Amino acid sequence: MKNSTHVYNPHVSVDCVVFGFDGEKLKVLLIERTIEEQNFSDKKLPGSIIFEDEDLDEAAIRILNELTGLKNIYLSQFHSFGNPQRTKNMRDKNWLEKLTNMKIGRIVTVGYVALIKISRKIIFESENTAANWYDVSSLKSLRLAFDHNEIADTALEHIRHKVKSEPSMLFELLPRKFTMTQLRNLYDAIMGTTSDVRNFKKKIMQIEGLEQLDEVQKDVPYRAPRLYRFDKKVHKKNTRKLYS
Amino acid sequence: MKNSTHVYNPHVSVDCVVFGFDGEKLKVLLIERTIEEQNFSDKKLPGSIIFEDEDLDEAAIRILNELTGLKNIYLSQFHSFGNPQRTKNMRDKNWLEKLTNMKIGRIVTVGYVALIKISRKIIFESENTAANWYDVSSLKSLRLAFDHNEIADTALEHIRHKVKSEPSMLFELLPRKFTMTQLRNLYDAIMGTTSDVRNFKKKIMQIEGLEQLDEVQKDVPYRAPRLYRFDKKVHKKNTRKLYS
């Protein structure tokens, strides 16, 4: 994390909530933070204080890359968190002061969110950290550092809101051809719901551009399910907007 | 702006973009800032640096009240702005340093937005500032301080996006009974459009809960137009959600 040509701004940080879908479960990318002298390790979102001379978007992209190896991820700013108490926990404070060699007071953090297909397993290790995917459903039982539980929850709410207003974004997380079960799993994972199989199909098929193919899934050891695809162009053309 | 019991945090500020609808035009609330020694005055959004011991939402509410007298406004955070160059203009920097008695370096600002009915004219004056409503359409020709033009533009985009995904929010800015012209004016003012009279009516009447009354507007010196109202309960009950 040290960089000889840049000066840290210890008052503002960015934190990245990267959600990933592996075809079955919704995951979130967390950093394992080890505090040697206390023989203690816990988890946090990938994030850090910004450089004095970089913009917020730049900082988010740089820091996510440094901590997880991820590149070319579309990170979008969703909310800033500034509770004066958020950096008061001594364990969090000591860890960050050691990492940055700076005195840490109050930090306002700018939250970024991304939603990606998990195409490869991320295990990235640097001197102080390792990055891994964790089930979103397990977040409740993990105590993350700082206010990172609140940040992750708010990011998930943000994604839910986006899916509600633009459900077609779901298809970006699926393979080009997918089964109805994959689509339902994805929807339920994000929304935190358990949809009824028939009702879900009936409702989701109202999305313009979603079509059933004359193909079935191959190489499955059971009755092969039908495949579907989503045609973005048809969707755009036929989606009736209340206002144009 | 001076407060003996609080310490300023000169690294983080909030800026409030308050849009108001007066029944005809969309307005934005700006502060007139006077720089005496330069015999110069220009405009900015109501905003300032936060106190070291207050949360972001608190700061936005306090600062909007101090600068404009407005109370009980629902401010919602929409985006943070952190370009390292945003506080480099010497005129902006000098003004803020004089106002706060602090050395000003880089400031990350958290943007808040509100959309209200203008029920009274705001003319608020404090020692250094005066607050007034300006036409949103005139923003292009006003050079606001710092990056406040960008912040105002981003806030308007945010409101447009919200109206697109939830057009029923428009009714909160209208009287209980309103004319189709008022509704169209409001829609066009926010969206920056010029809607066709017939098309607009046909499309907007698709909103569940919007109904024509057996009443006409009173006390108008021309053929009295019909009145409409919006029933929130009917809207909620009948609005078909793709997913429930």
Side-chain angles (χ1 to χ4, degrees):
Chain A
M1 294 263 302
K2 286 172 196 95
N3 190 311
S4 57
T5 61
H6 292 279
V7 177
Y8 283 122
N9 174 332
H11 310 287
V12 177
S13 65
V14 294
D15 282 298
C16 303
V17 189
V18 181
F19 293 113
F21 186 64
D22 65 0
E24 200 180 332
K25 282 188 165 178
L26 190 67
K27 310 266 189 177
V28 62
L29 196 55
L30 298 177
I31 298 296
E32 183 94 23
R33 143 183 110 159
T34 303
I35 302 173
E36 281 169 27
E37 55 269 49
Q38 296 178 37
N39 194 23
F40 181 85
S41 104
D42 59 4
K43 293 167 189 64
K44 66 182 288 291
L45 295 169
S48 189
I49 52 178
I50 65 175
F51 288 147
E52 192 57 34
D53 63 352
E54 73 188 339
D55 206 341
L56 302 171
D57 291 5
E58 267 179 81
I61 291 164
R62 172 183 62 81
I63 291 167
L64 182 64
N65 177 255
E66 284 179 3
L67 293 175
T68 71
L70 279 176
K71 272 183 191 175
N72 303 320
I73 299 293
Y74 177 68
L75 285 164
S76 110
Q77 205 199 97
F78 70 98
H79 198 79
S80 294
F81 300 82
N83 188 319
Q85 306 302 318
R86 62 180 297 280
T87 39
K88 288 282 167 77
N89 181 307
M90 285 312 290
R91 200 164 71 203
D92 296 337
K93 197 177 156 117
N94 290 341
W95 175 78
L96 192 53
E97 289 190 341
K98 204 183 158 202
L99 196 72
T100 59
N101 283 325
M102 288 192 97
K103 177 125 192 68
I104 296 300
R106 179 185 181 177
I107 304 179
V108 170
T109 197
V110 183
Y112 280 80
V113 66
L115 188 51
I116 64 175
K117 265 188 253 201
I118 301 181
S119 47
R120 61 198 162 93
K121 201 169 172 183
I122 291 175
I123 307 178
F124 182 85
E125 296 197 32
S126 72
E127 199 183 332
N128 299 297
T129 59
N132 264 307
W133 291 107
Y134 294 82
D135 287 356
V136 165
S137 57
S138 73
L139 270 177
K140 274 196 199 77
S141 57
L142 297 172
R143 195 206 80 88
L144 305 185
F146 302 105
D147 52 354
H148 289 189
N149 281 96
E150 183 190 346
I151 296 175
D153 289 347
T154 309
L156 188 57
E157 273 306 314
H158 178 83
I159 292 288
R160 283 179 183 163
H161 193 79
K162 286 187 87 165
V163 168
K164 268 190 191 165
S165 78
E166 190 45 68
S168 68
M169 67 174 278
L170 292 172
F171 303 112
E172 285 163 37
L173 300 173
L174 291 167
R176 207 168 59 82
K177 298 175 182 180
F178 49 85
T179 67
M180 190 49 70
T181 304
Q182 284 176 314
L183 177 54
R184 197 181 64 245
N185 280 346
L186 171 60
Y187 176 82
D188 280 343
I190 293 175
M191 303 307 280
T193 49
T194 314
S195 296
D196 174 78
V197 174
R198 282 198 198 177
N199 265 342
F200 178 79
K201 186 176 169 183
K202 198 174 139 194
K203 284 184 174 176
I204 204 88
M205 288 306 292
Q206 293 169 2
I207 295 181
E208 292 284 347
L210 174 58
E211 56 180 21
Q212 198 178 46
L213 298 172
D214 275 336
E215 290 176 52
V216 294
Q217 199 175 25
K218 278 166 193 157
D219 306 322
V220 286
Y222 42 83
R223 197 167 67 95
R226 282 284 199 130
L227 289 173
Y228 295 77
R229 69 163 189 171
F230 176 67
D231 189 325
K232 220 174 185 168
K233 279 186 200 157
V234 172
H235 178 76
K236 272 202 162 169
K237 206 178 142 205
N238 293 354
T239 299
R240 193 185 56 169
K241 293 263 178 212
L242 192 50
Y243 315 100
S244 53
Chain B
M1 294 263 303
K2 287 174 195 93
N3 190 311
S4 56
T5 62
H6 292 279
V7 177
Y8 283 123
N9 175 332
H11 310 287
V12 177
S13 64
V14 294
D15 282 298
C16 303
V17 190
V18 181
F19 293 113
F21 186 65
D22 65 0
E24 201 180 330
K25 282 188 165 180
L26 190 68
K27 310 265 188 176
V28 62
L29 195 56
L30 299 178
I31 298 297
E32 183 94 23
R33 141 184 112 158
T34 304
I35 301 173
E36 281 168 28
E37 56 270 50
Q38 294 177 39
N39 194 22
F40 180 85
S41 102
D42 60 3
K43 293 167 188 65
K44 66 183 286 292
L45 295 169
S48 188
I49 52 177
I50 64 175
F51 288 147
E52 191 57 34
D53 62 353
E54 72 187 340
D55 205 342
L56 302 172
D57 292 3
E58 268 178 80
I61 291 165
R62 171 182 63 80
I63 290 165
L64 182 64
N65 177 255
E66 283 178 4
L67 293 175
T68 71
L70 278 177
K71 273 183 190 176
N72 303 320
I73 299 292
Y74 178 67
L75 286 164
S76 111
Q77 204 198 97
F78 71 98
H79 199 78
S80 293
F81 299 81
N83 189 319
Q85 307 301 320
R86 62 180 298 281
T87 39
K88 289 282 167 76
N89 181 307
M90 285 313 289
R91 199 165 71 203
D92 296 336
K93 199 176 154 116
N94 291 341
W95 174 78
L96 192 53
E97 289 189 340
K98 205 184 156 202
L99 196 71
T100 59
N101 283 325
M102 289 191 96
K103 178 127 190 66
I104 296 299
R106 178 184 183 179
I107 303 180
V108 170
T109 198
V110 182
Y112 281 80
V113 65
L115 189 51
I116 64 174
K117 264 188 255 202
I118 301 181
S119 45
R120 63 196 162 95
K121 202 169 171 182
I122 290 176
I123 306 180
F124 182 85
E125 296 197 30
S126 72
E127 196 184 333
N128 299 297
T129 59
N132 264 308
W133 292 108
Y134 294 83
D135 287 357
V136 164
S137 57
S138 73
L139 270 176
K140 274 195 199 77
S141 58
L142 297 171
R143 196 207 80 89
L144 305 186
F146 302 105
D147 53 353
H148 289 189
N149 280 95
E150 183 190 347
I151 296 177
D153 289 347
T154 308
L156 188 57
E157 273 307 314
H158 178 82
I159 292 288
R160 283 178 182 164
H161 193 79
K162 285 187 86 165
V163 168
K164 267 190 191 166
S165 78
E166 191 45 67
S168 68
M169 68 175 277
L170 291 172
F171 303 111
E172 286 163 35
L173 299 173
L174 291 167
R176 207 167 58 83
K177 298 175 182 181
F178 49 85
T179 67
M180 190 49 70
T181 304
Q182 285 176 313
L183 177 55
R184 197 181 64 246
N185 281 345
L186 171 60
Y187 176 81
D188 280 343
I190 293 176
M191 303 307 279
T193 49
T194 314
S195 296
D196 174 78
V197 174
R198 280 197 199 179
N199 266 342
F200 179 80
K201 185 176 169 183
K202 199 175 139 194
K203 284 184 174 176
I204 203 87
M205 288 306 291
Q206 292 169 2
I207 295 181
E208 292 284 347
L210 175 57
E211 56 179 22
Q212 199 178 42
L213 298 172
D214 275 337
E215 290 176 52
V216 294
Q217 200 176 23
K218 279 166 193 157
D219 307 322
V220 285
Y222 41 85
R223 195 166 69 94
R226 282 288 198 127
L227 289 172
Y228 294 77
R229 69 164 190 170
F230 176 67
D231 189 324
K232 218 174 188 170
K233 279 185 198 158
V234 172
H235 179 75
K236 271 202 164 171
K237 206 178 142 203
N238 293 355
T239 298
R240 195 185 54 168
K241 295 262 176 214
L242 191 51
Y243 315 100
S244 53

